[in-house]
Amino acid sequence: MVQTNSSTIIAKNNIMNTVEEVLKELKKKSSKEVREGRERFGINTGKVISLGVSVPDMRALAKQIGKNQELALELWKTNIHEARHVALFISEKKKITDKLMETWLKDFNSWDIVDNACSSFFIHSPNAYEKAIEWTSRKKEFEKRTGFSLMCYLAVHDKQAEDAKFEQFFPYIYKESNDERNFVKKAINWAIRQIGKRNERLCKKVIKLTKDIQKKEDASSKWIAADALRELEKYLVEGKIKDVGKK
């Protein structure tokens, strides 16, 4: 009995060491309802295969695997949407490089893979702030979204950052606010709101920036500004703005 239990434990621990085993587990969790739900939320993976696995299931699988950069690199190459999400979850932050980020960036084809990359992996780059700025000038929709999504996650997670680190984003937010593509303008709006929620100092500066954006008169800038101002001014009046970061 003891030997059986030991064998079971060994098998369980080894089950997630290969791409084949990870894909086998993902396929067990696949669901038509999840695939259809993604489409309703604007997640169209194009030529990348979508199995239809929920985020909680992918996270649970990644937790079983543990951090494994070599496996992450191989999973990314499978051209399977969920495998790439798992790759991001199991990536080792100490092994992030500009070259790897650029390689994966070129494969981005949906807003959810962009946002997972930023929140799970890219924010750990020592060059995250510089990359956020650099990517805002990209031509492709999801590469450009990555720049603004990364700004959002830095605003949320880098609690000790000085205000100046976020103020350096302002000219790029202003410049690109006229981009009418859905997943870009939503990310710009999101970046404005998350930076503004860090503290009252930044909130007031962001409100001024947003009013300047509103004056640009194009449809995208007007939408971004109206939506962000509505939330930030309400939060400021109601005293909901946090006190995060340093002057």
Side-chain angles (χ1 to χ4, degrees):
M1 181 69 72
V2 173
Q3 289 181 342
T4 302
N5 287 342
S6 297
S7 298
T8 302
I9 291 170
I10 291 170
K12 184 177 180 181
N13 287 341
N14 289 337
I15 199 169
M16 301 301 170
N17 287 343
T18 68
V19 171
E20 292 75 17
E21 291 295 344
V22 174
L23 294 183
K24 181 179 178 181
E25 293 300 310
L26 285 171
K27 287 172 182 177
K28 286 181 183 178
K29 300 290 186 181
S30 65
S31 162
K32 179 182 178 182
E33 289 73 20
V34 173
R35 284 196 300 273
E36 292 175 346
R38 283 203 178 123
E39 291 176 6
R40 288 195 296 273
F41 282 100
I43 301 171
N44 298 306
T45 58
K47 295 181 180 179
V48 175
I49 299 166
S50 177
L51 300 175
V53 182
S54 70
V55 173
D57 281 342
M58 289 188 289
R59 285 188 182 277
L61 182 58
K63 188 174 182 180
Q64 284 183 266
I65 298 168
K67 298 297 182 182
N68 186 332
Q69 191 64 35
E70 184 177 348
L71 181 57
L73 294 173
E74 292 304 312
L75 286 170
W76 192 270
K77 296 176 185 176
T78 62
N79 205 39
I80 295 174
H81 188 67
E82 289 80 2
R84 287 180 170 176
H85 275 290
V86 173
L88 290 164
F89 288 135
I90 68 173
S91 289
E92 300 173 47
K93 62 183 180 182
K94 290 183 179 180
K95 294 185 178 180
I96 191 169
T97 65
D98 287 359
K99 183 179 179 181
L100 178 58
M101 288 194 294
E102 287 289 345
T103 299
W104 284 2
L105 180 80
K106 288 176 170 51
D107 289 330
F108 290 169
N109 67 339
S110 63
W111 65 261
D112 66 322
I113 204 76
V114 168
D115 294 353
N116 187 16
C118 291
S119 63
S120 298
F121 196 39
F122 288 3
I123 58 169
H124 300 297
S125 167
N127 299 322
Y129 284 86
E130 291 79 6
K131 282 297 179 183
I133 290 172
E134 178 186 337
W135 291 333
T136 63
S137 64
R138 294 296 173 90
K139 300 301 181 184
K140 293 183 178 180
E141 183 174 12
F142 292 110
E143 291 185 23
K144 191 168 185 176
R145 178 187 172 89
T146 305
F148 294 106
S149 178
L150 188 52
M151 291 179 187
C152 296
Y153 285 107
L154 288 168
V156 172
H157 294 290
D158 194 353
K159 306 293 186 183
Q160 299 304 312
E162 297 179 354
D163 291 356
K165 298 195 78 170
F166 297 96
E167 289 178 56
Q168 69 177 322
F169 295 153
F170 288 8
Y172 304 94
I173 290 172
Y174 179 86
K175 179 183 177 183
E176 303 299 338
S177 67
N178 60 342
D179 194 314
E180 296 182 354
R181 290 174 293 181
N182 189 47
F183 297 115
V184 175
K185 71 179 183 181
K186 284 189 173 181
I188 295 172
N189 170 272
W190 187 23
I192 290 170
R193 290 184 288 113
Q194 292 303 326
I195 294 171
K197 290 177 184 177
R198 281 180 64 86
N199 56 58
E200 286 194 15
R201 299 183 304 274
L202 273 175
C203 187
K204 290 174 181 177
K205 291 179 180 180
V206 167
I207 286 174
K208 182 182 182 303
L209 166 68
T210 308
K211 288 180 176 179
D212 289 339
I213 289 172
Q214 199 170 37
K215 295 174 184 177
K216 291 173 71 172
E217 290 296 322
D218 62 275
S220 179
S221 294
K222 288 171 72 175
W223 176 83
I224 288 169
D227 186 76
L229 283 171
R230 181 165 52 248
E231 181 169 85
L232 290 178
E233 289 179 335
K234 181 174 183 290
Y235 269 52
L236 195 59
V237 169
E238 295 178 354
K240 293 182 179 180
I241 302 296
K242 299 177 182 179
D243 187 13
V244 176
K246 304 172 184 177
K247 290 184 179 179

